[in-house]
Amino acid sequence: MLSKVLSSAVLGVDAYTVEVEVDIRRGLPSFTTVGLPEAAVKESKDRVKSAINNSGYRFPDDRITVNLAPADIKKEGTGFDLPIALGILAATEVVPPGRLSEYLIRGELSLDGRIKPVRGALPVALLARDSGCRGMILPTQNAREAAVVDGIEVLSVPTLGELVEFLCGLRLIEPKSVDVQTIFQKAQTDEIDFCEVKGQEHVKRALEVAAAGGHNVIMIGPPGAGKTMLAKRLATILPPITFEEAIETTKVYSVLGMLSESQALVTNRPFRSPHHTISDAGLVGGGHIPRPGEVSLAHNGVLFLDELPEFRKNVLEVLRQPMEDGHVTIARAITSITYPARFMLVAAMNPCPCGYFSDPNHECTCTYTKIHRYRSKISGPLMDRIDLHVEVPAVPYRDLASQNDAPTSADIKKPINLARETQSERLKRTKIYCNAQMNNRQIKRYCTVDQDSHRLLEAAIDKLGLSARAYNRILRIGRTIADLEQVEKIAAHHVSEAIQYRSLDRSTMFG
């Protein structure tokens, strides 16, 4: 007997359909799996056999061949256990094959027949909807994650026996549903706030501009100046994540199995802060079977790199492509996988190895050679891709002791939200969300400046030795500052402020 069950696998952050074909013939008992299965897929035969027997059904003592089509793509993971078991039961006429064709099925089996969670439920749910399936069957723990997708039935079952009863018409299973609006309303509130930061008003302004336009930023200052404190609070002034962005981000966390049973969506913008000992594969993704890295986990959020020069130089250089393109491509001999990586880079560093270069309150003990070697760990092309360069001086005592009420994150967020709404309206026909993502053609169209601004730009480029990429960065920042003021035209004072945020460029600080 031959049976076919629809399942799926995940490649990158997207799912594709896999047809699980089961053929049972008379002959010596054997169980063969073909279709480029990895070790975990090959081992499914023992889990499937025990699960079927322990669920009260008979495992056939015949020659069993399982084909996972398309056969030219390597299959990995344990999500094929359940469709293989159902294929065997359909081939032995325990399960009617008609209902199987209506659903896309995934799940891992334990030896006693329980259905255990798998990775990538959200991409599979999106595939089921786009493929025209009636719905999908998956483990109970993955139900909330998949149910955020409208237009399909999401059926969750705890055991193989109950699923067989449902397919035979002996049990009713209610489709899982979630209220997406309620999920966003219950999004975790921030426990930190910008009002806790004393002084540093010019740095707060720079972070406000960065948040409004989605710009990358680097903060340079002595130890204890508040760089890390400021960076952690940047996420509290970013605009709320949209549903489309939440889906994109949740797909990354889904394929890594980083969603809890109670979590249906990532409803807060991610904030990732990897340690400086991280490898290049850990940062941008990689491995024998490529997995997303920190840049993808920070998609639509913030990637914070503290003590930037302490990262290995080869690790920092691999950031250049995702910072420019908004995605990272990992090439292997058998396939090439692309992961999303559109993030705000926030970096922090000391001005020198001891941290006190140019600090009026402490003496720097570093030689010129040490300082040059320390700063040269950050290449010019990488600095070019960081829009705002901000000096963070030590906080004076009068600011620390001040009892004046500082603006809260909610206060700072209001003009940022208005600026982002303006950008969304302006860029609604594109697939980008903010000024930092504009390409050269869009910069030319939306970032026109007057004659006074042209003269300012010419003087700045001649004096600071800025590159063409830095010139475009200034125009983007000027556009964002104008959006914060809710004005259409970029004026000279917008350009002047934008140029200030390039004052630590190669020719001054890194020359």
Side-chain angles (χ1 to χ4, degrees):
M1 283 289 293
L2 176 67
S3 66
K4 185 174 72 172
V5 180
L6 287 179
S7 186
S8 68
V10 176
L11 187 65
V13 293
D14 296 312
Y16 63 95
T17 303
V18 175
E19 293 184 355
V20 180
E21 299 172 320
V22 178
D23 182 59
I24 301 179
R25 300 292 176 185
R26 290 177 181 258
L28 293 175
S30 66
F31 195 120
T32 305
T33 304
V34 297
L36 289 183
E38 286 281 344
V41 182
K42 292 179 180 178
E43 292 172 354
S44 66
K45 62 182 180 181
D46 298 313
R47 294 191 295 271
V48 168
K49 182 176 181 179
S50 296
I52 289 176
N53 288 331
N54 291 326
S55 298
Y57 306 103
R58 175 184 170 273
F59 188 84
D61 293 327
D62 295 307
R63 181 176 179 178
I64 302 173
T65 303
V66 177
N67 178 43
L68 306 176
D72 60 341
I73 303 177
K74 188 166 287 189
K75 318 299 187 306
E76 53 106 9
T78 56
F80 297 110
D81 291 4
L82 185 58
I84 290 174
L86 291 176
I88 292 172
L89 294 174
T92 55
E93 300 182 341
V94 174
V95 173
R99 298 195 70 179
L100 279 177
S101 62
E102 299 176 350
Y103 296 96
L104 199 148
I105 303 169
R106 272 177 65 86
E108 177 186 341
L109 286 173
S110 64
L111 300 184
D112 60 359
R114 288 180 294 113
I115 303 176
K116 303 176 74 173
V118 293
R119 298 176 178 179
L122 178 59
V124 173
L126 293 168
L127 172 69
R129 180 196 64 188
D130 297 340
S131 301
C133 294
R134 178 177 176 179
M136 62 180 300
I137 298 171
L138 76 173
T140 302
Q141 293 91 329
N142 297 124
R144 280 180 56 80
E145 175 188 343
V148 300
V149 180
D150 288 331
I152 59 168
E153 293 181 3
V154 176
L155 305 180
S156 62
V157 285
T159 66
L160 177 61
E162 292 182 37
L163 178 55
V164 172
E165 292 176 4
F166 165 75
L167 294 172
C168 293
L170 304 175
R171 177 184 291 269
L172 181 64
I173 299 176
E174 289 293 331
K176 182 73 175 180
S177 62
V178 296
D179 187 344
V180 174
Q181 186 174 359
T182 302
I183 293 174
F184 276 90
Q185 290 173 350
K186 292 182 178 180
Q188 182 181 355
T189 55
D190 298 305
E191 297 179 356
I192 55 179
D193 198 283
F194 254 102
C195 66
E196 300 160 357
V197 181
K198 299 291 186 180
Q200 307 292 20
E201 299 304 323
H202 74 289
V203 185
K204 292 179 183 178
R205 169 61 178 176
L207 293 182
E208 179 183 355
V209 173
H215 302 286
N216 302 321
V217 59
I218 183 169
M219 295 179 286
I220 305 171
K227 302 185 294 294
T228 302
M229 187 179 188
L230 286 158
K232 289 182 176 179
R233 281 153 181 78
L234 177 61
T236 67
I237 63 173
L238 290 176
I241 193 168
T242 65
F243 178 71
E244 291 76 15
E245 290 175 320
I247 288 289
E248 292 175 359
T249 306
T250 305
K251 285 166 68 176
V252 178
Y253 284 75
S254 177
V255 299
L256 285 174
M258 295 178 64
L259 295 175
S260 64
E261 181 179 348
S262 60
Q263 187 178 15
L265 277 174
V266 175
T267 52
N268 293 91
R269 293 193 181 273
F271 181 89
R272 304 293 300 182
S273 180
H275 194 260
H276 64 260
T277 56
I278 192 170
S279 66
D280 52 358
L283 189 62
V284 300
H288 173 62
I289 300 173
R291 290 282 186 267
E294 289 290 336
V295 296
S296 297
L297 289 170
H299 183 57
N300 291 319
V302 175
L303 177 68
F304 176 48
L305 301 183
D306 201 4
E307 304 295 343
L308 188 66
E310 300 300 328
F311 286 80
R312 290 193 294 273
K313 190 163 186 176
N314 67 301
V315 174
L316 292 179
E317 291 308 301
V318 297
L319 278 174
R320 286 157 59 175
Q321 187 238 340
M323 287 174 66
E324 195 74 17
D325 300 335
H327 62 262
V328 58
T329 301
I330 304 169
R332 292 293 180 267
I334 58 172
T335 187
S336 179
I337 297 177
T338 298
Y339 290 113
R342 184 177 287 126
F343 56 89
M344 277 185 64
L345 175 67
V346 181
M349 64 175 287
N350 296 327
C352 66
C354 78
Y356 296 112
F357 179 75
S358 73
D359 186 346
N361 301 319
H362 297 84
E363 182 181 355
C364 176
T365 59
C366 303
T367 64
Y368 174 81
T369 304
K370 286 184 179 180
I371 296 174
H372 180 75
R373 187 183 303 120
Y374 179 77
R375 295 175 178 177
S376 64
K377 292 180 180 179
I378 307 171
S379 67
L382 180 61
M383 285 299 297
D384 266 352
R385 288 168 169 82
I386 300 178
D387 300 352
L388 285 79
H389 308 166
V390 187
E391 287 189 271
V392 186
V395 183
Y397 174 77
R398 65 177 180 274
D399 288 340
L400 289 173
S402 174
Q403 299 298 317
N404 295 333
D405 292 333
T408 65
S409 293
D411 296 331
I412 300 173
K413 199 172 184 177
K414 291 176 183 177
I416 291 174
N417 288 343
L418 289 174
R420 282 291 184 102
E421 290 172 7
T422 301
Q423 293 164 42
S424 297
E425 180 64 25
R426 181 188 301 128
L427 303 169
K428 62 183 178 181
R429 295 183 181 179
T430 67
K431 294 184 179 180
I432 61 177
Y433 306 103
C434 57
N435 289 336
Q437 299 163 7
M438 290 192 295
N439 58 32
N440 290 340
R441 182 181 298 177
Q442 291 158 346
I443 291 173
K444 185 176 181 180
R445 180 176 180 181
Y446 298 121
C447 300
T448 55
V449 295
D450 56 23
Q451 194 62 36
D452 291 339
S453 300
H454 270 300
R455 284 194 290 269
L456 268 174
L457 283 166
E458 183 179 3
I461 289 174
D462 290 342
K463 185 176 181 180
L464 299 177
L466 302 180
S467 66
R469 185 181 285 114
Y471 168 76
N472 285 336
R473 294 276 190 275
I474 290 173
L475 292 178
R476 289 175 182 152
I477 297 168
R479 177 70 270 168
T480 298
I481 296 170
D483 290 341
L484 279 169
E485 295 183 6
Q486 292 292 290
V487 295
E488 180 61 31
K489 293 186 178 181
I490 302 175
H493 68 278
H494 301 143
V495 174
S496 177
E497 183 179 352
I499 291 171
Q500 292 178 28
Y501 297 132
R502 303 296 303 189
S503 62
L504 303 179
D505 226 313
R506 293 291 299 181
S507 61
T508 54
M509 178 170 180
F510 289 85

